[in-house]
Amino acid sequence: MTYCIGMRLDQGLVFMSDTRTSAGVDNFAVSKKMFHWNVPNERAITIMTAGNLATTQSLISLLNERSVLAGERDPNILRLPTMFQVARLVGDTLREVITGSSPTGQTSDDQFGASIILGGQIKGGKPTTFLIYPAGNFIEISDDTPFFQIGETKYGKPILVRAYDRQMEFADAIKLLLVSFDSTVKSNLSVGLPFDIQIYENDSFSIERTKRVDTDDAVYQEISNGWGDALRDAFRLLPSYEF
């Protein structure tokens, strides 16, 4: 399992993913789940993956391989003119990988399934994010749905729904995402540190603002401990329910 969030703000996009992979309760490992493609001053694209590790690694390898000789391979992620067309390409490639891995063809509950968050901006278009399903179909982020989650989503969603504000600064958005991730880590062993974070500022066409948060990160520890204390204080302030 895993946990990834892609969020849209007025300032731009924020992405965060964990790095834990598991094959049973006693077999954990660290694996990167956030990947980038960048053509300075022209496009910045980020992908986060959840699901079968072999499927997601094959997807990323195919996208990379097909973009190496950009002048000879079309379509590819470095040449498509819009993020919508990139989403179609990623969806088609994901479906290709899953179908090729399953001996009986693709099914809705396929063990080779995976979900993708794709986000970024291509010059001439707006920054945007897509949620891509195992079947290759996808939806785009909107004012009604300003963030996407994949993986182990249920534990971290309540704080996002209550505290999200599209006008918040990047620093506050990261704090919000860290609380969401911390709640998930404390509830599910299949999600864990380190976390990868990326900020994309509108029209920057750059993915330089990235960071990995590990267990010894002082700010993360302060947020984690402070959130626990704040919840206990808030609970004590609520009225008791007598009957």
Side-chain angles (χ1 to χ4, degrees), residues 13 15 44-48 83 117-121 128-130:
L13 307 174
F15 305 95
I45 297 171
T46 296
I47 284 178
M48 296 184 293
M83 286 297 300
I117 292 176
L118 163 72
Q121 185 179 17
T128 190
T129 302
F130 297 87

Side-chain angles (χ1 to χ4, degrees), residues 161-218:
V161 173
R162 288 178 179 269
Y164 168 82
D165 181 349
R166 60 181 294 173
Q167 296 180 333
M168 63 173 44
E169 300 291 327
F170 283 132
D172 288 333
I174 292 173
K175 176 172 65 175
L176 175 59
L177 265 58
L178 284 173
V179 171
S180 178
F181 272 72
D182 186 64
S183 300
T184 305
V185 167
K186 286 180 168 55
S187 302
N188 194 303
L189 287 174
S190 68
V191 177
L193 287 95
F195 305 142
D196 287 327
I197 304 172
Q198 186 215 318
I199 292 171
Y200 176 76
E201 189 171 358
N202 293 341
D203 302 321
S204 66
F205 304 104
S206 170
I207 51 176
E208 296 176 354
R209 302 180 68 180
T210 61
K211 181 177 177 62
R212 174 161 283 195
V213 175
D214 217 326
T215 53
D216 59 355
D217 188 287

Side-chain angles (χ1 to χ4, degrees), residues 82-95:
T82 67
M83 286 297 300
F84 180 84
Q85 291 189 37
V86 172
R88 289 185 60 184
L89 173 64
V90 174
D92 289 345
T93 307
L94 177 60
R95 185 170 59 250

Side-chain angles (χ1 to χ4, degrees), residues 1-188:
M1 190 55 75
T2 188
Y3 186 37
C4 302
I5 303 174
M7 177 178 289
R8 186 176 74 179
L9 306 172
D10 286 346
Q11 281 189 297
L13 307 174
V14 184
F15 305 95
M16 188 178 296
S17 69
D18 85 319
T19 55
R20 175 164 289 185
T21 61
S22 62
V25 296
D26 59 350
N27 186 7
F28 294 104
V30 172
S31 182
K32 183 178 179 182
K33 301 169 189 176
M34 183 185 294
F35 306 90
H36 312 288
W37 291 261
N38 187 208
V39 179
N41 301 314
E42 197 270 330
R43 72 182 59 208
I45 297 171
T46 296
I47 284 178
M48 296 184 293
T49 63
N52 182 278
L53 186 60
T55 297
T56 58
Q57 289 185 346
S58 294
L59 168 71
I60 299 302
S61 294
L62 275 174
L63 292 172
N64 281 328
E65 181 184 70
R66 292 169 180 176
S67 65
V68 170
L69 301 175
E72 300 178 15
R73 302 191 182 195
D74 274 325
N76 76 70
I77 202 167
L78 296 180
R79 291 174 60 86
L80 289 169
T82 67
M83 286 297 300
F84 180 84
Q85 291 189 37
V86 172
R88 289 185 60 184
L89 173 64
V90 174
D92 289 345
T93 307
L94 177 60
R95 185 170 59 250
E96 174 189 344
V97 172
I98 294 175
T99 302
S101 300
S102 179
T104 58
Q106 185 173 339
T107 61
S108 60
D109 59 347
D110 203 312
Q111 62 178 320
F112 300 103
S115 299
I116 306 296
I117 292 176
L118 163 72
Q121 185 179 17
I122 296 175
K123 197 166 186 177
K126 64 180 181 179
T128 190
T129 302
F130 297 87
L131 173 60
I132 303 174
Y133 299 103
N137 55 329
F138 54 86
I139 58 174
E140 187 172 6
I141 210 162
S142 67
D143 291 340
D144 293 326
T145 308
F147 58 83
F148 288 136
Q149 302 168 277
I150 54 175
E152 188 54 80
T153 62
K154 56 184 177 290
Y155 302 108
K157 187 173 184 178
I159 181 62
L160 299 178
V161 173
R162 288 178 179 269
Y164 168 82
D165 181 349
R166 60 181 294 173
Q167 296 180 333
M168 63 173 44
E169 300 291 327
F170 283 132
D172 288 333
I174 292 173
K175 176 172 65 175
L176 175 59
L177 265 58
L178 284 173
V179 171
S180 178
F181 272 72
D182 186 64
S183 300
T184 305
V185 167
K186 286 180 168 55
S187 302
N188 194 303

